[in-house]
Amino acid sequence: MKQEPIKRIVPVNRIILGITGGIAAYKAAEFARLLIKQGVEVQVVMTEAACHFITPATMQALTGRPVLVNQWDATPNGMAHIATSRAADAIVIAPASADFIAKLTHGLADDLLSTLCLARNCPLIVAPAMNREMWLNAATQRNVKQLVADGVQVLGPDSGVQACGEEGMGRMLEAAELARDVGRVLTRHSDSVGLKPDLRGQKIIITAGPTYEAIDAVRGITNRSSGKMGYAIAQAALELGAEVTLISGPTAQPKPQGAQCVDVQSAEQMFDAVKQHLSGCAIFIGVAAVADYRVAQPSVQKIKKSAAPLTLELVPNPDILAYVANLPNPPFCVGFAAESENLAEYAEAKRRAKKLPLLVGNLAQQAIGSDDNELILFDDSGRQTLPRADKLTLARQLMQRIAQRNQGVLK
Ligand code: PMT
């Protein structure tokens, strides 16, 4: 099964891409495509001049949204500049012409793009693109210096052969470089203002509870997992805006509102349900206490009691987490390990064996069935303890960490 990797280098959900007049406008198309691939909503706003270099139809086709050009186009509240800028997490102007940079510097607002830049309350990033003499001109240099002093992030330009045939500084950064640098700028910004990580639009599968392996019509093998930890994690992921699929063995937990809940009994059923829902999954969290073995031949009828000893043959169950983590293009996989002793050693060994970026360890005797817990997170950088607390508090802390990694804030 082919899946998109979750690594998002741009840690925001909605970007206004402003395109101004310049030959580098064609690079904006690839830049928009890269953002969209990462799940970012892109609203393109173009100046009149930009429309001479690339058509709104191209950008609309790439982003799936009508492109805004005219300040006077009707909007529901008649305030396109306010409504559009308020809906954005950041504005990126790429390419930013010398003329547009001059406008920004002086706070001019004579078209939709310049007006919404002035009206914004989110970070503004510009990627200049122009002829080298225009770039080196004292007026442009003065303007750029002023923009930086005003807190605007200027990315590039690069040097090289220019569209006009001259060589020097003034080329807009290539789309991939720009996406990477925009990601870095916005990650620093999120850190500095303490933005809550966000999982909107991300599909997360969580397994929870025990499994039940039938011995006969009425008896079975199970364990004491209550589902509390897994359900709390589902709740915490929903609070961050994720699309949650909760695949659970038998528990008495109330279903988290807003999650897609799939009830299963056995490990094999859980495995089938996971495979069925995997498409588009960005994050997989295995909290379930899956039975390692099942009865080779469960009896359809109730086994009658007799004086003779009864031997059950057990065969290994499929390892669901190991299967998901070893897919060619796996989602970000988080495993759990409940150990009764040597927690650090066994948990780290499980993490390596299943090739997991993150494994959460807990002491079985304290964790299973209880209302609170203590978690130890193991990853490539070492370990971190989330001290004893109720399971929902821990789930929220864990999901914050997973979301930050997903947004590229943490490595
Ligand atoms: O439900 P609660 O009462 O709140 O308790 C929570 C918990 C103690 C069950 C939970 O915090 C926990 O630790 N779950 C993992 C239990 C465990 O020890 O699993 P394991 O060591 O057998 O497996 C390691 C990992 O592989 C787990 O993520 C498990 O979901 C997964 N696994 C294991 C076997 C298998 N066949 N398929 C799997 O996916």
Side-chain angles (χ1 to χ4, degrees), residues 77-358:
N77 63 7
M79 306 275 261
H81 57 297
I82 304 290
T84 310
S85 72
R86 288 298 170 274
D89 298 316
I91 302 176
V92 181
I93 311 292
S97 64
D99 175 65
F100 196 77
I101 287 174
K103 262 191 202 178
L104 281 179
T105 309
H106 296 285
L108 297 186
D110 62 354
D111 62 7
L112 179 59
L113 188 56
S114 55
T115 310
L116 67 85
C117 285
L118 199 61
R120 79 185 189 282
N121 59 1
C122 61
L124 174 61
I125 300 171
V126 300
M130 63 197 76
N131 165 271
R132 68 188 178 112
E133 296 299 348
M134 292 169 83
W135 173 251
L136 292 175
N137 189 288
T140 305
Q141 288 301 308
R142 217 171 30 242
N143 290 339
V144 169
K145 211 167 154 195
Q146 185 57 51
L147 280 190
V148 172
D150 291 346
V152 174
Q153 291 288 331
V154 179
L155 299 179
D158 212 347
S159 110
V161 180
Q162 302 201 298
C164 55
E166 296 181 11
E167 201 169 335
M169 287 292 278
R171 282 169 59 94
M172 187 174 115
L173 295 182
E174 295 304 323
E177 286 175 289
L178 185 58
R180 185 200 58 205
D181 290 356
V182 164
R184 284 184 184 150
V185 167
L186 294 178
T187 297
R188 272 201 308 271
H189 175 76
S190 312
D191 276 352
S192 66
V193 297
L195 274 189
K196 199 174 167 194
D198 194 335
L199 287 173
R200 264 174 290 181
Q202 302 285 305
K203 178 172 170 183
I204 301 192
I205 296 180
I206 297 163
T207 66
T211 60
Y212 175 88
E213 311 298 329
I215 296 173
D216 66 13
V218 295
R219 305 180 185 95
I221 301 171
T222 187
N223 59 63
R224 292 196 292 112
S225 168
S226 61
K228 286 176 190 166
M229 193 71 238
Y231 279 59
I233 289 172
Q235 176 61 39
L238 287 164
E239 288 171 7
L240 293 182
E243 286 171 26
V244 176
T245 302
L246 177 61
I247 301 175
S248 172
T251 77
Q253 299 306 309
K255 305 248 182 284
Q257 276 247 313
Q260 181 183 15
C261 295
V262 183
D263 291 333
V264 297
Q265 299 274 317
S266 65
E268 283 188 307
Q269 287 171 0
M270 188 173 271
F271 190 31
D272 286 346
V274 165
K275 285 192 283 191
Q276 244 177 51
H277 289 86
L278 258 182
S279 170
C281 171
I283 301 172
F284 179 86
I285 310 178
V287 196
V290 185
D292 288 324
Y293 298 92
R294 68 178 183 279
V295 177
Q297 275 170 338
S299 166
V300 180
Q301 305 303 334
K302 183 178 173 190
I303 299 171
K304 298 309 285 177
K305 185 170 126 184
S306 84
L310 176 69
T311 304
L312 292 173
E313 189 195 346
L314 301 180
V315 291
N317 268 327
D319 192 315
I320 304 165
L321 177 61
Y323 167 84
V324 177
N326 286 283
L327 285 169
N329 229 334
F332 182 78
C333 283
V334 182
F336 266 71
E339 304 294 344
S340 57
E341 56 175 348
N342 302 332
L343 177 59
E345 186 192 331
Y346 292 160
E348 190 53 33
K350 262 183 202 171
R351 186 175 86 84
R352 290 189 190 288
K354 297 196 190 190
K355 301 201 184 106
L356 304 173
L358 178 63

